[in-house]
Amino acid sequence: MAARQQTVNCGCKGIRTCLLCEANDDKRQLLNKKDSVRYDFTYDQESKLAVPVCGNIQQAFPFPGVFLWENFVSEKEEKELVTQMDQNIWRESQSGRRKQDFGPKVNFKKRRVRLGGFSGLPAISQKLVNRMTKEPLLADFHPVEQCNLEYSPKRGSAIDPHLDDSWLWGERLVTLNLLSDTVITLSLDQGWGDMDRGEVRVAVNMPRRSLFVLYGEARHRWKHAICREHVLGRRVCSTFRELTAEFLHGGEQEKLGSELLDIASSFKGVPV
């Protein structure tokens, strides 16, 4: 009798993989992808330009929609935040990550939202949200969902290029990066300007303890990812999301949106 394949303890489904499941033959086939033409850039925070990497003959171009607030939290605050997170259960998620969710139950395909066990954002986030609003870009930012994610090089943690939902989640995606520096990679599959025959990537450095915001085209047109090679140590991040106009004052689902915001702003939440 053939030996049964050993079960791995990960949260990967479909095309997602991590170091724990890539020994599986079916998963290994997903990794054998041929490289295509690619144009690589790095984001320069001072000039707000996407600058070609060494050896890339393309020209720099303006890259709006990215905001970085370095040293958003102190080392002491970082330690307190992670200690508080570690008191809650980290649940297995896709691509070698673990997560904690503070938000409503959502079926994006059917466009349905229900409260589920949503009891608000965690208490430790109240001071963070208040601090965010000191920045003009976030003066009217009212998060209704928070997702904590843990990345580990031992698990090969990553997240593939993707666009966040734009039916429920609004204009700004706000992420607090803790414990490790990393790089967020923004990409277009179909190219950009004269670079129309291959993928375009813009690497944005995300320092430890920084707050990172995506908005505009960088949020709605450019996919974002965390590549495995950019996870060099334990990394914990908190991503905050706001509602779209449909769920705000005057929108079709204003009542539900108001209820969600009231719950979120109680800051009494536990992971759901």
Side-chain angles (χ1 to χ4, degrees):
M1 179 182 291
R4 289 186 178 180
Q5 187 173 26
Q6 185 178 2
T7 301
V8 294
N9 184 24
C10 75
C12 297
K13 300 176 183 178
I15 64 171
R16 308 299 185 192
T17 70
C18 69
L19 290 179
L20 298 179
C21 68
E22 286 172 7
N24 180 292
D25 289 340
D26 293 334
K27 290 291 187 179
R28 191 183 295 114
Q29 292 179 11
L30 296 172
L31 304 177
N32 298 327
K33 299 177 182 179
K34 294 183 179 179
D35 292 334
S36 59
V37 176
R38 200 174 89 191
Y39 303 95
D40 289 317
F41 295 78
T42 58
Y43 177 72
D44 180 73
Q45 184 180 353
E46 184 174 349
S47 66
K48 312 298 182 186
L49 294 175
V51 180
V53 300
C54 183
N56 190 322
I57 63 173
Q58 301 299 321
Q59 298 295 315
F61 59 90
F63 199 77
V66 171
F67 173 79
L68 188 67
W69 183 340
E70 295 193 44
N71 297 310
F72 179 76
V73 296
S74 66
E75 292 184 17
K76 180 180 178 181
E77 287 175 313
E78 176 188 52
K79 183 177 180 179
E80 292 172 349
L81 289 166
V82 175
T83 297
Q84 288 289 327
M85 291 179 195
D86 285 341
Q87 291 179 6
N88 293 317
I89 295 174
W90 287 99
R91 302 188 183 279
E92 299 298 330
S93 187
Q94 304 233 47
S95 304
R97 296 168 297 151
R98 299 197 301 172
K99 67 178 180 179
Q100 298 170 349
D101 286 323
F102 299 83
K105 243 357 210 182
V106 186
N107 185 320
F108 292 105
K109 289 185 178 180
K110 295 182 179 180
R111 293 196 169 188
R112 293 177 182 171
V113 184
R114 61 184 179 86
L115 297 181
F118 181 40
S119 54
L121 271 59
I124 56 173
S125 295
Q126 186 168 14
K127 65 180 180 180
L128 303 178
V129 173
N130 289 338
R131 188 176 303 166
M132 291 176 198
T133 61
K134 305 301 181 183
E135 162 57 39
L137 176 65
L138 299 173
D140 59 348
F141 183 70
H142 302 290
V144 74
E145 193 252 13
Q146 176 179 336
C147 180
N148 298 335
L149 288 169
E150 181 198 59
Y151 289 72
S152 167
K154 293 181 179 179
R155 297 195 302 271
S157 302
I159 180 63
D160 290 341
H162 66 283
L163 291 171
D164 275 31
D165 164 78
S166 56
W167 159 67
L168 178 64
W169 306 138
E171 172 67 16
R172 294 158 293 192
L173 303 178
V174 181
T175 297
L176 175 61
N177 185 54
L178 302 172
L179 295 185
S180 295
D181 296 345
T182 193
V183 174
I184 185 167
T185 301
L186 306 178
S187 63
L188 284 180
D189 296 334
Q190 302 300 321
W192 177 263
D194 295 334
M195 300 165 284
D196 58 355
R197 294 187 177 182
E199 181 186 17
V200 179
R201 290 189 180 186
V202 179
V204 184
N205 291 318
M206 193 188 298
R208 179 178 180 175
R209 297 191 301 277
S210 66
L211 192 76
F212 177 79
V213 185
L214 280 178
Y215 62 98
E217 283 205 351
R219 184 266 195 261
H220 295 289
R221 183 174 180 183
W222 291 76
K223 294 180 180 179
H224 57 276
I226 300 290
C227 301
R228 182 177 292 176
E229 61 265 30
H230 294 142
V231 180
L232 303 179
R234 187 189 184 202
R235 174 187 179 242
V236 170
C237 67
S238 297
T239 295
F240 301 84
R241 297 178 174 92
E242 62 184 337
L243 294 171
T244 58
E246 180 176 337
F247 295 86
L248 300 177
H249 181 69
E252 293 181 8
Q253 301 201 58
E254 175 186 352
K255 182 178 179 181
L256 175 58
S258 179
E259 186 175 6
L260 291 172
L261 284 168
D262 285 345
I263 295 172
S265 60
S266 71
F267 293 99
K268 297 178 180 179
V270 295
V272 294

